[in-house]
Amino acid sequence: MPELPDLVYIQDKLKEELEGMKIERVLIKEPIVLRVLLKESVASALAGARFKTVFRHGPFLGLTFDNQLAMIVHPMLAGKFKLTTDTQKAGRGVCFSFLLSDTRTLHYLDDKKMGKAYLLQSGNYAQIPRFEQQGIDILSSGFTLEKFQALIEKQRKQVRVFLMDQTLLSAIGNAYADEILFDARLHPKTLCNQLAEQDVENLYNSVVTVMNWGIRKIKQAGQPIEVKVRGHVKVRNRKDQPCPRCDSIIRRAGVLGYDAFFCPICQPPKRKQFIEWK
Ligand SMILES: [Zn+2]
């Protein structure tokens, strides 16, 4: 699934490849992922349009066109973009494709068909569920320690749940939530109000450094945009493997319906009753 560092990479690549490029034709295979908030069809609205820019807003990726329209994509678990030349295959899960004027094609693929692509007038984003409800962008300069302290101060929830609340912090997914907590040496079920001032400061620093580390690693890997790059992660999906810091065995626990991966030695629970290892 694309998380923030993946989206930053995809945004940069698409920007590089698409700005100024013209769409010749639109092919739609899975209209179920499309939400057309216009009177026109996607095909007629976008044929002949040129890409203006590509932007990111939390977990959303936005493509804007020179005809005042925009397509806002929320890829959810499995949505991805893929650029192919005329001799390459798109692969499985194509939902729609833009045939570009330079003979390449931009495909949107989604095996699970859970993602959504909204086509609408540029700027009318209040119509998109959860778009305007995003919390502070954790990659923005406004995301300061003071802002983070103010957000976490009122919370009583588990710290992993807090990190993943997109109405507060935009946006941390499952993989990087685990990596951040590992970096900050906090057990995923720690309650926000159990954190000491120093824990909160460490956690803030971990959010910033881990997200930037993820962005750097994905950029270094230099894979095509449809490839999920996770080779660098230290605990996510590494159950029963040795902790890279202390060599103990990485464990998995359920945190409100989500799987969390952590090291029980580096990330001890604050109180005994929070141990619920299966
Ligand atoms: Zn460890």
Side-chain angles (χ1 to χ4, degrees), residues 182 243 245-248 263 265-266:
F182 176 72
C243 165
R245 201 153 46 200
C246 75
D247 248 5
S248 345
C263 170
I265 303 303
C266 295

Side-chain angles (χ1 to χ4, degrees), residues 1-50:
M1 86 177 260
E3 294 204 13
L4 203 49
D6 307 299
L7 286 177
V8 169
Y9 180 72
I10 295 166
Q11 180 205 356
D12 284 352
K13 285 280 164 197
L14 287 181
K15 223 175 145 165
E16 219 174 276
E17 301 288 344
L18 297 179
E19 273 184 2
M21 192 67 69
K22 193 168 131 193
I23 297 176
E24 296 290 351
R25 215 146 59 86
V26 179
L27 300 175
I28 297 168
K29 259 185 100 176
E30 299 289 352
I32 192 166
V33 303
L34 287 162
R35 295 287 180 276
V36 184
L37 309 175
L38 300 170
K39 291 203 173 88
E40 276 175 281
S41 71
V42 178
S44 74
L46 291 184
R50 280 183 193 277

